[in-house]
Structure formats: C-alpha cells, structure tokens
Amino acid sequence: MKTAIIVFPASNCDRDAAVAIEQVSGKKPTMVWHQETALPDVDLIILPGGFSYGDYLRSGAMAARSPIMAAVKQKAEAGVKLLGICNGFQILTEAGLLPGALMRNAGLDFVCKMQTLAVANPDTPFTRGLKNKAYVDFPVAHHDGNYMADEKTLERLEGEGQVVFRYVDNPNGSARNIAGIINERGNVLGMMPHPERVIAPPLGGTDGAEFFKGIVEGAQNA
Amino acid sequence: MKAKVHIRLKQGVLDPQGKAIEGALSGLGFDGVDNVRQGKFIELEINESDPAKARTQIEAMCQKLLANPVMENYDIEVLG
C-alpha cells in the first residue's frame, strides 16, 4: 500500500503516522509539504494531527486552503482513501470534504487522555481491522473536538451508518457522542482520536496497530 | 478602502467561551449580565474604490475563508 502524509506548518503527528504506516505495511510513506500542488500515485492520504497555522482563525481553516488541498480533493473524488486525524479531521470539515464543524470543547479544557470508543461502523475500508472489537482505546488530545452539525445532517449521518466512532464517555460535548465520521462514498474518514499513538505496548496499547493493519490489508485485497 | 467584518456564532450554537466570560464577569461582581457571546472582528484594507464591488469581494472572502457558514454568521461594513 502506498501512502502520502501531508505536512502542514505545525503538524506534529506526521511522523507518528509515518511510523505507524511503516510498521504495518513495511513501506515508508511519502511526506508531502503543503505547498506542493501534486501528489504521487497512492492508495491512502493522511492529514495528520497537530496545530496547523497555530489554529489561527479556526482550527484547520488555513490548512484547508493550502495549495496541496486541490490535489487531495481530486484524489478523494477519484476514490483514494483519505484519513484525517485530529487536526486532520478539522481540516476535512473546513475543506468541505466532511459535513459539520469542530467547535471549542464544551468544558473549555484541552482534553488529553486515553478514550474508549465504540466502533459504530465496522464495515468501512478503515475499520475492517476492528471487526472483532466492539470497543477500542485511542488517546485524544484536542481543544476543538466538539462536533456539531444541523439536525438534518446528524440524522443523515446516523441513518447512512456514517458515524464510525463514538465516545463512550463524551470528553468534549460532541453531538451524538461523535468521535469520527465517514463520507457517503466511504473513502474519507475524519476522527478526533489518535490511533497512530497506540501501535505498540510501550505506548499504551495496540488498538491503533490493528486499525492501520486493517486499512493495509483492505488495500492489498482490493 | 477600509472594511470591517464581524463574525459571530449562529444563534443556538453553544458558545462555551461566552459562557466562561459570563461566569468570570459574575465572579467580578458584574451582576445581571446575560447571553455573552464571543465573536471575531476583522479589519482590512482593499484596493477597490467602488463600495459595492468591495462588498462583493469581501462577501467572497467570508464564504471562502473568514467565516465558517456551518456555525458562523457575518456582517460586512464598508467604510469608504
């Protein structure tokens, strides 16, 4: 599986994501600077966590308008898998690739802890590695993770199985306990929790390794 | 030409920062303060002498970047 990871100014989980991908696929991902305008031929694009542009204006707002994003959108439209983690999820909503928005946490605190998530939809190209798990533990670390959308959008997300991860104990006031959603086509996933931070026991868990392994295996069987 | 853009959260969208400010004001003894909402205020200069054209351009800026229409409304004031 070939992967590209987009690097924005103040991305800080880009290397963690690269290590996770290399660990499960044996292949180093291509790191692509946000000022680039073209992407190599890949099966997966990751928008990593971090604080792109210092969260100026709104989290993810500037990054969503970076030069590389036109190419990212084009690939997503062509069916390439696109995964946004944390700041990457914020960027996906700001870019209009996923509906809704991520607001300031309801409790105002920056939340940074291990979080149990219910796997709400195990039948996506991203969650096939979690088929035998009703719950996973991924850490969260964010200030703006409070997912909101209008009622109609929330109903549609629920009805179409587009809610992929749900907080068991909601840390940020997110509507319907939403931690991660996928687009209608099923190739763009945004999630606030960090699977790339739990890929080996010394890091606190291995659920993230299962997650990435599933994505790689899915790509190989496709 | 100068312009001002006010961006505010839509009615009904929870504003935890506004709530925190409200709480702090009450802690300082300012009683009877209600419905505190925090927004953004952006000033800019635009190389355009026609106010209507300036407004159209700023409208596009709001749609594309300055505001997030999912959760925010905006007002544009062109100062001439």
Side-chain angles (χ1 to χ4, degrees):
Chain A
M1 186 184 74
K2 286 174 288 200
T3 307
I5 298 176
I6 312 298
V7 185
F8 299 96
S11 288
N12 65 10
C13 301
D14 45 333
R15 281 168 290 174
D16 304 56
V19 169
I21 290 294
E22 192 177 356
Q23 176 182 306
V24 296
S25 73
K27 279 191 195 150
K28 266 194 202 305
T30 309
M31 309 304 276
V32 180
W33 183 235
H34 71 123
Q35 293 288 3
E36 301 287 329
T37 52
L39 282 162
D41 177 31
V42 290
D43 309 292
L44 171 70
I45 302 164
I46 298 178
L47 305 183
F51 298 87
S52 56
Y53 292 87
D55 283 347
Y56 291 172
L57 193 64
R58 298 178 305 276
S59 297
M62 307 291 194
R65 281 90 183 164
S66 293
I68 194 63
M69 287 305 290
V72 169
K73 280 184 190 174
Q74 227 170 44
K75 291 277 185 193
E77 277 159 22
V80 172
K81 283 191 282 297
L82 173 58
L83 168 64
I85 301 167
C86 197
N87 191 216
F89 184 12
Q90 295 162 341
I91 295 168
L92 287 175
T93 58
E94 279 285 344
L97 285 161
L98 287 174
L102 292 143
M103 311 257 306
R104 180 52 43 103
N105 292 345
L108 288 172
D109 287 334
F110 184 97
V111 292
C112 183
K113 57 176 179 156
M114 192 64 94
Q115 192 78 43
T116 300
L117 309 169
V119 182
N121 185 352
D123 296 315
T124 78
F126 296 95
T127 45
R128 43 176 295 140
L130 309 177
K131 273 202 184 331
N132 299 322
K133 290 175 182 280
Y135 299 96
V136 287
D137 289 330
F138 292 160
V140 291
H142 60 249
H143 214 164
D144 296 316
N146 181 354
Y147 183 78
M148 66 93 61
D150 58 53
E151 262 322 285
K152 212 173 119 193
T153 304
L154 290 171
E155 283 303 319
R156 200 186 64 228
L157 290 173
E158 298 274 8
E160 300 294 321
Q162 288 174 252
V163 178
V164 176
F165 293 109
R166 236 186 267 272
Y167 301 112
V168 169
D169 179 17
N170 192 335
N172 55 29
S174 204
R176 317 273 178 112
N177 300 318
I178 286 173
I181 56 168
I182 197 162
N183 66 342
E184 226 164 295
R185 183 174 178 175
N187 68 318
V188 179
L189 174 71
M191 57 194 293
M192 288 312 295
H194 288 274
E196 79 283 12
R197 293 191 186 177
V198 275
I199 56 163
L203 298 175
T206 56
D207 284 350
E210 302 299 319
F211 171 81
F212 286 109
K213 214 180 286 171
I215 299 175
V216 171
E217 283 169 6
Q220 280 159 355
N221 296 339
Chain B
M1 181 161 274
K2 288 188 178 177
K4 295 178 177 180
V5 182
H6 289 269
I7 298 157
R8 44 179 71 85
L9 287 174
K10 286 181 178 174
Q11 280 304 323
V13 172
L14 179 73
D15 177 8
Q17 294 175 107
K19 280 272 168 244
I21 294 166
E22 199 175 302
L25 287 173
S26 154
L28 287 169
F30 293 102
D31 293 327
V33 178
D34 216 357
N35 292 319
V36 177
R37 308 279 286 171
Q38 180 183 309
K40 291 189 189 90
F41 169 57
I42 296 172
E43 282 181 316
L44 55 92
E45 286 184 24
I46 182 166
N47 187 13
E48 173 60 67
S49 53
D50 180 346
K53 283 185 185 160
R55 181 174 291 273
T56 306
Q57 280 192 49
I58 298 166
E59 179 82 29
M61 293 177 205
C62 287
Q63 289 287 338
K64 283 193 170 173
L65 176 66
L66 300 182
N68 181 339
V70 173
M71 56 182 174
E72 294 169 330
N73 290 323
Y74 55 84
D75 296 313
I76 299 164
E77 199 183 334
V78 178
L79 300 173

